[in-house]
Amino acid sequence: MEHHIIAEMTEPGGSTLKEWHMVRGEQPESMCGRELDLSAQKLSSDAWGTDQARPFCHTCGALFLREVP
Ligand SMILES: [Zn+2]
């Protein structure tokens, strides 16, 4: 399954990043269950663990680690 990373901003439509979340496929919510603005900035799942994807949601990170071989 394709994963991608999506930004959660401190306020809807805002410009300040709160943290990054992992999303499965085209689901409308993150793996930690947060509803996200799908028009927000996205990254490839390859960016997980890099400086580009920090700060990263701890819950999403833990769940992603369990799913990825
Ligand atoms: Zn999350």
Side-chain angles (χ1 to χ4, degrees), residues 7-11 16-21 34 54-55:
E8 180 189 7
M9 310 314 278
T10 53
E11 54 190 86
T16 306
L17 176 72
K18 185 177 175 197
E19 59 186 0
W20 296 95
H21 295 270
R34 201 173 291 269
R54 274 188 199 128

Side-chain angles (χ1 to χ4, degrees), residues 21 30 32 57 60:
H21 295 270
S30 64
C32 65
C57 170
C60 284

Side-chain angles (χ1 to χ4, degrees), residues 5 9-10 14 22 32 34-35 41 50 54 57 66 68:
I5 296 168
M9 310 314 278
T10 53
M22 191 66 76
C32 65
R34 201 173 291 269
E35 278 189 46
Q41 194 185 349
T50 69
R54 274 188 199 128
C57 170
R66 268 189 257 158
V68 176

